[in-house]
Amino acid sequence: MKKKLVFLILFLLFSNNVYAKEEVKFFKCVDGDTIKVLIKNKEKTVRLLAVDTPESVHPKKGVEYYGKEASEYTCNTITNAKKIELEYDSNSDKEDKYGRLLAWVFVDDYLLQDLLIQNSYAEVAYLYGDYKYTSLLQDHQSIAETKNEGIWNSSAREEYNIKNNITEDIKEESTDEIKGTVSDTIKKIDSLDINWDNLTLNDIKEILGIVVLALLVALWKPLKKKLKKRIK
């Protein structure tokens, strides 16, 4: 009984700290979805989780449409904030392959990712798990897209791309989205009550349904861009 009680207490303590916020100090602006902060007087690069802004300092892609505006918005918001906090997501790695911290960034208690989405500077992207604020961002993106402003202004984007001889790589984007659904898809399949030694037709249908839905979600964004171009 004592062991169970200790386990329960530890579990509750851990659960309460999964999403604990960490206050940091501003150090340097990078671009729309990346900043540098000081954590215990050490410089750390932070990549905003679950969003993507157009490039503004990429060595190969150059300055993409609305990249400068997104970078300026993030920089102004961060530099004028009285309080900056990071929140790590239990369903995400803490660092990416480049050693950057992956986190939700709060400025004066406002979620920076959400501000970028609402103001049409960023889009929801790189979903490699069931993240805490994904639904919020997706709901606000749906509203932002209807306003035809910022990154969603297809006419201004096309004009900018033609003028600057920029070709958007849709294939690369869709591949990233497909990779992002893999872990979540595996978790959903594992949660099914299936006897793998004796698969039934219904089991196969359930598995295929999850896989097909994951692919549709991953491909929807690039497909939508192609459809918009054809309709236009």
Side-chain angles (χ1 to χ4, degrees):
M1 183 67 182
K2 286 184 178 180
K3 287 184 177 180
K4 290 183 178 180
L5 184 60
V6 171
F7 176 79
L8 180 61
I9 292 172
L10 289 173
F11 175 77
L12 291 173
L13 286 172
F14 174 76
S15 298
N16 288 335
N17 285 284
V18 167
Y19 297 116
K21 294 177 184 176
E22 177 182 21
E23 189 164 354
V24 299
K25 293 183 179 180
F26 167 76
F27 182 71
K28 184 180 180 182
C29 298
V30 179
D31 62 12
D33 51 36
T34 310
I35 61 173
K36 289 183 181 292
V37 300
L38 291 177
I39 301 178
K40 296 179 181 179
N41 293 320
K42 290 185 177 180
E43 178 186 339
K44 294 287 185 179
T45 302
V46 180
R47 177 61 169 80
L48 274 63
L49 186 65
V51 298
D52 186 39
T53 62
E55 299 292 348
S56 62
V57 293
H58 197 282
K60 294 182 179 179
K61 296 182 179 180
V63 182
E64 295 180 329
Y65 169 72
Y66 231 64
K68 183 179 179 181
E69 290 83 351
S71 181
E72 289 177 350
Y73 179 85
T74 295
C75 189
N76 290 336
T77 304
I78 286 290
T79 54
N80 291 316
K82 295 180 181 179
K83 181 174 65 173
I84 304 172
E85 295 173 296
L86 303 183
E87 181 178 332
Y88 304 106
D89 200 298
S90 63
N91 289 323
S92 168
D93 293 334
K94 191 172 181 180
E95 293 185 355
D96 64 9
K97 61 183 179 181
Y98 304 109
R100 302 177 300 184
L101 294 175
L102 299 171
W104 301 108
V105 179
F106 287 84
V107 286
D108 296 331
D109 297 321
Y110 289 96
L111 180 59
L112 180 55
Q113 281 96 324
D114 193 32
L115 294 175
L116 287 165
I117 293 291
Q118 289 193 55
N119 290 284
S120 299
Y121 290 108
E123 61 183 325
V124 181
Y126 306 118
L127 301 179
Y128 301 136
D130 184 16
Y131 301 152
K132 186 176 180 181
Y133 301 107
T134 298
S135 295
L136 173 71
L137 299 185
Q138 290 174 330
D139 288 344
H140 287 167
Q141 177 168 305
S142 296
I143 297 172
E145 288 182 28
T146 64
K147 296 179 180 179
N148 195 37
E149 298 175 347
I151 64 172
W152 306 115
N153 189 331
S154 56
S155 298
R157 175 194 291 271
E158 185 173 354
E159 183 179 337
Y160 178 90
N161 288 344
I162 292 174
K163 182 179 179 181
N164 294 277
N165 195 27
I166 295 176
T167 302
E168 295 183 4
D169 192 348
I170 295 176
K171 182 178 180 181
E172 177 183 346
E173 180 181 358
S174 63
T175 301
D176 284 335
E177 292 298 325
I178 292 173
K179 288 179 180 178
T181 64
V182 171
S183 60
D184 189 44
T185 302
I186 292 174
K187 288 179 183 178
K188 289 180 180 178
I189 293 175
D190 285 340
S191 69
L192 296 176
D193 186 16
I194 290 177
N195 181 355
W196 293 98
D197 294 325
N198 188 24
L199 283 176
T200 66
L201 182 60
N202 285 333
D203 293 336
I204 296 173
K205 285 181 178 179
E206 282 191 87
I207 295 171
L208 287 176
I210 292 174
V211 172
V212 170
L213 180 61
L215 287 173
L216 288 175
V217 170
L219 291 170
W220 170 241
K221 186 166 59 177
L223 179 61
K224 185 167 61 174
K225 287 183 178 181
K226 284 188 174 181
L227 288 173
K228 282 184 177 180
K229 289 182 177 180
R230 291 198 175 189
I231 293 173
K232 186 177 177 182

